[in-house]
Amino acid sequence: GLANCRWANARDALTDATAVSQGRKCTLLSGMMEITYRSGARVILEGPCDYQVDPAGGYLRLGKLTARVEKSEKRNPKSENRSPLSPLPSPLFTVRTPTATVTDLGTEFGVEVDARGDAAAHVLQGKIEVRPAVGDRGAPAKHGDASDVAGNRPIRLVVGQSVRVVKDADGHKLHSVPGKADAAAFPARPGHLAEYVQQQRSGLFRRWQAYSEELRKRGDLLAYYDFQPDTGEPLAVRNRAATGHAFDGWIRGGNWGVGSLPGKWAVRCTKPGDGVHVELSAKCRQITMALWLRVDALPKDEDREFGLLMSDGWSGSGRTHWTIRRDGTVWLSFTGLPTGDAGNLGQSSVTVGKNDLGRWRFLAVASDLAQGKTRFYVDGALAAEKAFAASDSAEFDIGPAMIGNWNDMGQPPADNRVLSGCVEEAMLFRTTLSEKEIHWLFRRGGLSRDGGNSATPDKPVESLGAK
């Protein structure tokens, strides 16, 4: 089973109901994965995680794991009491880590390994045995190795107990730290992954709805597009701000696509002209624009850029172009400054690069024409601040514009602005929001976009009838 898995290497990606071979490495950046063993044991891995599959367990180098063994393999009492130096593998379900080996004795347990390799084991049901490891630092621990902890004796834990096995400062000796089991740290239980994910998503969607209702009450909100379809007008993208239907958007190209959780929708863009056409004829001296964006591919040409929100061309004072270039830099350009017909109001050196492909990011830009300042934000944090020639008379007046790609409109193909990805939510304010306010938008609106989104682009949803 898989839930919002994002893989460190796309070539290692698995699909649901795939046979997992012995020795297979499962490296997740985010999301959850459940593996069912032939013995009946089940393991849930939670990213970021690095796990190698063995016939009766595995090696957890980094991350979090929850295991449940309802029907263990037939045990040999003699093998359970063999010498701790024995090289023979355990007949029981065993999770090895850099500092300890955790063996099931009929139980449900959680294991977490941090970046140093220190391991913590928590008993959720039944009991387990923990043996500290020896050998080269960072090498997989073998069941039964001698250790520097507790005179080489295994540590037995029962339900409600935990132990951390940690390295000392020089990394040569191990120490055990007993404690209480933290069941809340392992909320997804083996055998119930689908139910857990559905509960989480449903709860997040309701919380997002509450945030959306709160946001649309703001008096400085010029336009707010939540990208939730109108079943009566399938191509409409309604403006939920108090400014009303005059600022409604319409899908000109592209398709409705699945959003970041069940119940949420996005507009998927792949070619010139894909996006949402809007009419934003409202003048203001200050502006803040923000949207949720998932980029699946960057432009191929060095000097090519794609649109986030772009006025139709440069005709008229106040026209605004908010774009991303191939190198990932975010730009804001404007007509109406004394310095020229098309002035640059700044660009952000923080990029949306290859490592961000397939992930939802929250981008925002706030600009004040009177002060001559533009601030760029990524995921609620200030990324760059740029100064430009201030003006006492210039005003933003976006007019006809596109959210997403901008088509040629009869211009040469080189003028196309091509976004390959999805836009899920967009908002415009007639004021320059503070960093605190933009961080609030990111935290409250980002409940459904926690980084656990699939790196595999969503397939377009051609019809809303299947919803």
Side-chain angles (χ1 to χ4, degrees):
L2 302 172
N4 299 324
C5 288
R6 184 167 176 259
W7 303 88
N9 189 328
R11 293 175 298 180
D12 296 333
L14 297 171
T15 58
D16 280 324
T18 299
V20 182
S21 60
Q22 177 180 342
R24 176 65 181 261
K25 288 193 68 175
C26 303
T27 309
L28 292 175
L29 296 179
S30 59
M32 290 184 174
M33 173 184 181
E34 183 173 54
I35 301 174
T36 302
Y37 288 75
R38 290 193 174 120
S39 64
R42 291 175 181 262
V43 166
I44 288 182
L45 307 175
E46 182 176 348
C49 180
D50 188 331
Y51 183 73
Q52 183 173 331
V53 179
D54 290 341
Y59 174 56
L60 182 66
R61 189 186 67 81
L62 175 70
K64 188 183 296 186
L65 169 155
T66 311
R68 181 177 181 85
V69 185
E70 296 178 342
K71 294 181 179 180
S72 299
E73 296 173 308
K74 186 176 180 180
R75 298 167 178 167
N76 183 345
K78 293 182 179 180
S79 65
E80 290 191 43
N81 297 324
R82 65 174 178 268
S83 165
L85 297 177
S86 170
L88 297 175
S90 169
L92 308 180
F93 190 86
T94 301
V95 176
R96 298 175 291 115
T97 76
T99 58
T101 299
V102 182
T103 302
D104 156 66
L105 298 177
T107 189
E108 185 175 65
F109 62 93
V111 180
E112 187 167 13
V113 179
D114 63 20
R116 293 185 69 249
D118 296 343
H122 302 250
V123 185
L124 309 177
Q125 293 182 29
K127 56 186 177 179
I128 62 175
E129 179 181 278
V130 179
R131 286 183 181 270
V134 295
D136 294 335
R137 284 177 289 175
K142 295 181 180 179
H143 179 79
D145 276 354
S147 75
D148 294 307
V149 181
N152 192 35
R153 293 191 302 272
I155 304 167
R156 292 214 171 187
L157 304 176
V158 298
V159 61
Q161 294 181 332
S162 73
V163 68
R164 293 181 64 237
V165 181
V166 301
K167 302 173 186 175
D168 61 10
D170 59 13
H172 295 300
K173 289 188 177 182
L174 301 176
H175 303 275
S176 63
V177 181
K180 294 182 179 180
D182 184 5
F186 305 91
R189 299 304 173 84
H192 302 280
L193 178 60
E195 293 92 328
Y196 169 77
V197 170
Q198 186 59 41
Q199 290 172 0
Q200 291 295 104
R201 287 175 169 174
S202 297
L204 289 175
F205 182 65
R206 289 193 295 271
R207 290 164 63 188
W208 173 82
Q209 285 178 313
Y211 150 81
S212 179
E213 291 290 339
E214 184 178 358
L215 174 62
R216 62 187 68 181
K217 296 176 183 177
R218 289 186 60 130
D220 61 346
L221 189 61
L222 178 64
Y224 172 47
Y225 306 101
D226 63 359
F227 281 68
Q228 295 299 92
D230 183 333
T231 55
E233 293 281 358
L235 297 181
V237 180
R238 297 300 186 194
N239 171 35
R240 309 298 185 184
T243 48
H245 291 309
F247 291 161
D248 281 351
W250 298 85
I251 297 178
R252 177 176 284 176
N255 295 285
W256 283 110
V258 176
S260 57
L261 82 166
K264 283 291 283 136
W265 293 81
V267 170
R268 180 166 172 76
C269 308
T270 57
K271 63 184 184 300
D274 286 357
V276 180
H277 187 264
V278 295
E279 293 273 354
L280 296 170
S281 298
K283 297 181 179 181
C284 50
R285 305 290 305 281
Q286 301 174 331
I287 196 171
T288 299
M289 299 183 288
L291 55 74
W292 284 95
L293 176 74
R294 196 192 74 199
V295 178
D296 295 330
L298 291 167
K300 294 181 181 180
D301 298 336
E302 289 290 342
D303 58 349
R304 185 62 58 89
E305 55 188 347
F306 61 77
L308 297 174
L309 192 152
M310 296 182 62
S311 298
D312 284 348
W314 293 110
S315 60
S317 178
R319 298 304 186 243
T320 305
H321 286 196
W322 185 26
T323 60
I324 297 183
R325 298 199 172 180
R326 183 179 183 272
D327 61 3
T329 55
V330 182
W331 289 67
L332 181 67
S333 303
F334 172 79
T335 61
L337 291 178
T339 54
D341 183 46
N344 174 26
L345 302 191
Q347 69 277 347
S348 170
S349 58
V350 175
T351 62
V352 178
K354 293 183 179 179
N355 292 335
D356 299 307
L357 300 182
R359 297 180 61 194
W360 287 103
R361 307 305 298 268
F362 185 63
L363 303 183
V365 59
S367 187
D368 188 322
L369 295 174
Q371 290 189 357
K373 286 186 179 180
T374 299
R375 294 182 176 91
F376 295 86
Y377 299 85
V378 178
D379 289 346
L382 180 65
E385 181 175 324
K386 301 294 181 179
F388 57 90
S391 171
D392 294 330
S393 58
E395 293 180 302
F396 292 101
D397 186 11
I398 296 173
M402 288 289 292
I403 300 173
N405 291 354
W406 188 76
N407 66 355
D408 57 20
M409 298 291 289
Q411 302 299 318
D415 290 336
N416 290 341
R417 301 295 184 255
V418 182
L419 162 67
S420 178
C422 292
V423 178
E424 187 177 88
E425 208 169 350
M427 59 201 77
L428 290 86
F429 301 82
R430 59 176 87 246
T431 56
T432 52
L433 300 189
S434 66
E435 183 173 0
K436 183 178 180 180
E437 290 174 305
I438 290 177
H439 185 71
W440 181 86
L441 293 173
F442 168 67
R443 295 300 302 170
R444 289 293 305 277
L447 292 169
S448 61
R449 314 166 185 88
D450 58 359
N453 299 285
S454 173
T456 303
D458 295 331
K459 294 181 180 179
V461 178
E462 302 292 345
S463 171
L464 295 178
K467 185 174 182 297

